[in-house]
Amino acid sequence: MNASDDDITALLRTGASNSAIVRELRVDKHRVARLRQAAGLPAHKPHLPTLEEKWATKTKRVEGGHVRWTGSKGSSAGTPVLAYRGAVVTAASVAFRIRTGRAPVGYVLPECDYHHCVAPEHVEDEPGRQKAREQLRYLMGGTARPERCVHGHDQAVHGKFEEDGVSYCGRCAAERKAAARAREAAGV
């Protein structure tokens, strides 16, 4: 094919890159560059997908409204992760942003029974999970959690709820885990 300058310029005006035009029309790359400059067109800038667009390429809808992650897994637990512009984020946190339009607080986890589901409508951050669990507590006939735990920790700050609505002290739980890790490290 013997492309004219007009053919090349027309493709340049559509936003095509120099290399794409060279491949398509089988013309010299220096000729394309000269014509781009003569037309006063800026260098081609490739479209970089948004975080949400990249996330969507690694997901697959499955039965029940769940979304299966087809991309990378980040840990021994198999947490779905996505590398984007030099950072690694969890797929669930991106799903949360898609649904809410805001950054999550704490871990984002699926609130359904599908392991590692990343459906935006199925994931929740820590405050959302705690609010739903507290509501469940009241729906099941539970009472308000105590103001302080048995060790005196303020439950407005440290209070949490299990999946079934049972309240517990998050600070006490963290201290128990830290003590268990210390005992394990010491070989006790």
Side-chain angles (χ1 to χ4, degrees):
M1 176 179 207
N2 197 0
S4 70
D5 287 356
D6 289 339
D7 294 333
I8 296 169
T9 303
L11 281 175
L12 286 168
R13 291 189 190 286
T14 67
S17 69
N18 289 14
S19 57
I21 294 169
V22 167
R23 279 191 310 275
E24 183 178 334
L25 300 179
R26 296 189 175 120
V27 293
D28 179 67
K29 66 181 181 180
H30 302 291
R31 179 178 173 203
V32 176
R34 277 194 310 273
L35 289 170
R36 179 180 291 281
Q37 187 175 16
L41 297 171
H44 177 263
K45 291 183 182 171
H47 168 71
L48 296 175
T50 65
L51 178 60
E52 293 79 9
E53 289 169 340
K54 187 171 180 183
W55 175 90
T57 68
K58 308 284 185 188
T59 61
K60 182 178 181 186
R61 285 257 172 211
V62 295
E63 188 176 328
H66 305 291
V67 175
R68 182 172 56 86
W69 182 248
T70 62
S72 300
K73 308 287 169 98
S75 69
S76 61
T79 303
V81 295
L82 179 66
Y84 185 73
R85 296 189 181 179
V88 177
V89 296
T90 67
S93 69
V94 178
F96 181 84
R97 287 174 198 259
I98 290 169
R99 179 172 57 83
T100 65
R102 69 172 177 83
V105 175
Y107 290 114
V108 177
L109 301 170
E111 289 290 294
C112 62
D113 59 356
Y114 189 87
H115 189 60
H116 289 307
C117 182
V118 293
E121 57 277 8
H122 292 186
V123 297
E124 195 59 77
D125 68 351
E126 182 67 22
R129 273 193 307 284
Q130 291 302 312
K131 182 177 179 182
R133 291 172 180 181
E134 182 177 22
Q135 290 171 347
L136 176 63
R137 177 184 178 90
Y138 297 134
L139 288 172
M140 301 296 286
T143 58
R145 70 176 165 221
E147 287 186 29
R148 299 207 169 269
C149 75
V150 296
H151 298 288
H153 301 131
D154 183 353
Q155 294 305 283
V157 176
H158 302 291
K160 299 203 178 246
F161 295 96
E162 299 280 0
E163 287 182 24
D164 60 2
V166 171
S167 65
Y168 69 96
C169 178
R171 184 168 171 189
C172 287
E175 289 173 359
R176 279 191 304 275
K177 285 181 184 176
R181 283 192 299 271
R183 283 191 305 275
E184 186 178 304
V188 177

